Amino acid sequence: MDISTLLQSILNGFSSAGIYILVALGLTLVLSIMNIVQLAHGEIYMIGAYGVYYITTSLGLNFFLALVISTLLMGGLGIVLERLCFRPLRGQFDRAAIASIGLILILQNVVLSIAGGDPRSYMSPFTGVLKILGVAISWDRLSIVLFGFGLVAALFLFIRMTKTGQAMLAISQDRDGAALQGINIDRISMAAMFLGCALAAIAGALVGAIFSVSPTMGGFALMKGIAVIILGGLGSIPGAVVGGLIIGLIDGIMPILTTTHIAGLIGFGAIIIILLFRPQGISGHE
Amino acid sequence: MNKRILIWILSYGILTVFPFLIPLFITGPYVTHILILTVMNIILASSLRLINLSGQLSLAHGGMMTIGAYTSTLLVVKLGLSSWVALLLAGLLAAVIAGLVGFPFVRLKGIYFAIVTIFLTAMVTLMAQQWRSLTSGSYGIYNIPRPDPIVIPGILNITFTSSVNCYYLVLVIMLVSLIMLYAIEHSRIGLTFRGIQQSDSLAESVGVNTAGLKVLAFSIGCFFAGITGGFYSQYIMAIAPDTFGFLFTVYILIYMTVGGSGKFIGPILGAFILTILPEVMRPLKQFQPFFFAGVLMLVIFLMPEGIVGLPGRLKTIAGRLFKEQQERA
């Protein structure tokens, strides 16, 4: 194994990490604000990718415009889901989780009956390679890294700087206390769903540009997203970033040492072992 | 009093005998297959409820079934053991593995426990794919023999080459499992499980070994999953690593919740209705998953206690209506 293979795999690890972090951030936002695990998050990710596919191929718009439209649409879908499905079940953990499984079935089959089961693909706007120190880095992978970490920084600033963001922080720390201070929990929940679904849609659209789009692509993203937030600690944004980096790098580097499947095994094993020593995750609290 | 006992025995007797009579009226390989699946799902959902009784939401059933299926298959195919011994060992191995991983797992509460059990299922599937020398990888194992015939010379000779006889077999397994689960639930241990479910810190403060009992509940539940997995591989005569994956496990959870995890009959009803209904709705073709999801959503939103809570709810609503009428009069 030479040094350029290693660097290449590290970069692949970072680009996987970018996707995992985007998916995990949405999950963790919804979890900490609404106290439910939104298992249909992977389906939002998948529909976000299909949105870009249909807007670029049928309407002929350019990728970035399609990305923005699809992201906003998915955010809107998030608000609708919050109103219709998750608000009545807020605080009821098991029932909300099972309702979101019902949503998985519905959303997946809606897409299946509209788009069919064949994988689709669309062109990535990022083409060509960047050569640094003899290592060829493809722009589409690099774009995921940039997008991912850019959005993390933006979300971080949003939570630190804006009133809505501070309200989100307050709710995640103490729901009743926040409500007593006059924070409208219903409105903040809608904002959290909007942001979470928008982030998932962006992740899906970026992945769709590199690989392909299929109705079952959401399951993988959901598994990885859950692994990341568990590893990082439920409801913690820095934790999601650290967890995403760890799992992304394991997924990037392990395959060159063993096979892809064994890499997956090591990833799950690592999470179980870390949880045994820190049951609340890397930076979570009880 | 005597009359009540008689009615009790009669009603349960009919309920027990009735499933045995179904193949006399409805025949055909398709119907038999659905019946077998229904009975399997009843065992699975009921055993999942035992784990749930101790306050844990387990998604390890798929993994445990895979373990059971491969154990029984390999013991029969590679070692030539009797299929009955293999079936029992399949359940026991699942229980032992659940006991071993249980000790670290039960320290995790709520969603964390559910998640590590999902990962366990995923890891078992990956291992079955990777350990090619033993499991022949993703190809799976074919031509697994059906259960050995039960022969008592001169009196009895039951073979399991027909799937109707497999249905009778799984029905017997179900009855035995349900009786065992019922007995466990109504024993002292079962009551302690309930205590842990309601408040594990309170249970611990009065001297209950909560960790040990949680592991026990997990292990017993997984025993039945192992047996069912072993049976399925013998019935279908093939096994592949992803036969019982994540989705399969989630469906068991759905059966339990839709039926209602509060009562013993809940998972039985849930598994029965949700396995039969989609088959009846086959003519809907591609809209069938919507139907399933629709039933699921309806129950989740309108019946917080599941289907078993329906009579109580109707009674409350009827009572309210009656009261309103009285007040108006």
Side-chain angles (χ1 to χ4, degrees), chain B:
Chain B
M1 191 64 199
N2 263 337
K3 212 172 174 184
R4 264 185 70 187
I5 293 176
L6 202 70
I7 291 174
W8 191 87
I9 292 175
L10 217 67
S11 54
Y12 275 88
I14 291 171
L15 269 183
T16 317
V17 172
F18 179 66
F20 283 93
L21 300 179
I22 296 176
L24 299 182
F25 303 114
I26 317 168
T27 48
Y30 172 67
V31 176
T32 316
H33 181 69
I34 299 305
L35 286 175
I36 289 177
L37 282 186
T38 311
V39 172
M40 273 177 54
N41 286 336
I42 290 177
I43 305 175
L44 292 169
S46 297
S47 62
L48 189 66
R49 179 169 171 274
L50 186 79
I51 304 178
N52 196 50
L53 210 61
S54 68
Q56 305 170 97
L57 196 67
S58 165
L59 289 168
H61 258 46
M64 290 302 162
M65 289 179 74
T66 311
I67 290 176
Y70 272 101
T71 312
S72 98
T73 304
L74 292 173
L75 287 178
V76 170
V77 174
K78 299 224 161 156
L79 294 183
L81 246 60
S82 150
S83 69
W84 304 105
V85 179
L87 198 60
L88 197 64
L89 285 177
L92 284 178
L93 186 71
V96 166
I97 290 179
L100 287 179
V101 299
F103 269 104
F105 279 14
V106 294
R107 288 177 46 205
L108 309 169
K109 293 213 168 85
I111 181 68
Y112 284 105
F113 181 83
I115 302 277
V116 287
T117 52
I118 294 180
F119 289 163
L120 189 70
T121 300
M123 281 178 78
V124 169
T125 308
L126 278 174
M127 262 161 103
Q129 276 166 0
Q130 285 306 302
W131 201 344
R132 291 212 183 84
S133 56
L134 193 67
T135 64
S136 64
S138 305
Y139 294 109
I141 302 173
Y142 295 93
N143 296 327
I144 301 168
R146 281 273 170 92
D148 295 343
I150 301 174
V151 182
I152 303 172
I155 308 169
L156 206 63
N157 188 2
I158 308 174
T159 57
F160 293 96
T161 42
S162 76
S163 38
V164 175
N165 280 358
C166 282
Y167 168 66
Y168 286 128
L169 172 65
V170 75
L171 210 55
V172 170
I173 297 179
M174 179 194 82
L175 282 177
V176 174
S177 310
L178 288 184
I179 291 170
M180 281 165 74
L181 287 168
Y182 190 84
I184 294 170
E185 191 184 328
H186 290 81
S187 68
R188 212 186 140 78
I189 294 179
L191 287 176
T192 323
F193 285 163
R194 271 185 193 279
I196 296 172
Q197 182 188 32
Q198 280 165 14
S199 164
D200 64 353
S201 45
L202 181 62
E204 195 153 351
S205 72
V206 296
V208 172
N209 177 4
T210 51
L213 283 171
K214 278 181 178 177
V215 175
L216 185 67
F218 184 49
S219 180
I220 296 174
C222 292
F223 172 79
F224 291 107
I227 295 259
T228 316
F231 164 79
Y232 188 71
S233 69
Q234 293 181 1
Y235 156 64
I236 255 352
M237 302 196 284
I239 179 68
D242 50 2
T243 311
F244 315 111
F246 172 66
L247 207 62
F248 189 91
T249 316
V250 165
Y251 269 64
I252 303 172
L253 177 67
I254 291 176
Y255 299 145
M256 183 187 78
T257 318
V258 166
S261 56
K263 293 214 171 77
F264 189 80
I265 191 81
I268 302 177
L269 271 180
F272 179 76
I273 295 173
L274 287 185
T275 319
I276 299 281
L277 259 188
E279 300 305 328
V280 178
M281 293 298 152
R282 278 267 178 231
L284 289 178
K285 289 192 183 123
Q286 75 266 36
F287 298 106
Q288 187 208 5
F290 295 111
F291 179 79
F292 186 87
V295 172
L296 178 65
M297 293 305 230
L298 215 65
V299 172
I300 287 289
F301 280 102
L302 300 180
M303 306 174 210
E305 288 154 32
I307 295 172
V308 286
L310 195 59
R313 252 180 112 74
L314 287 179
K315 215 182 269 174
T316 329
I317 293 171
R320 211 180 292 151
L321 285 179
F322 184 66
K323 209 170 153 194
E324 264 172 28
Q325 253 177 7
Q326 265 188 337
E327 273 165 9
R328 220 172 279 160

Side-chain angles (χ1 to χ4, degrees), chain A residues 95 98 109 226 234 261 276, chain B residues 107 112 115 130 257 289 300:
Chain A
R95 285 174 67 209
I98 291 172
N109 283 295
I226 288 181
L234 298 184
H261 287 290
L276 296 180
Chain B
R107 288 177 46 205
Y112 284 105
I115 302 277
Q130 285 306 302
T257 318
I300 287 289

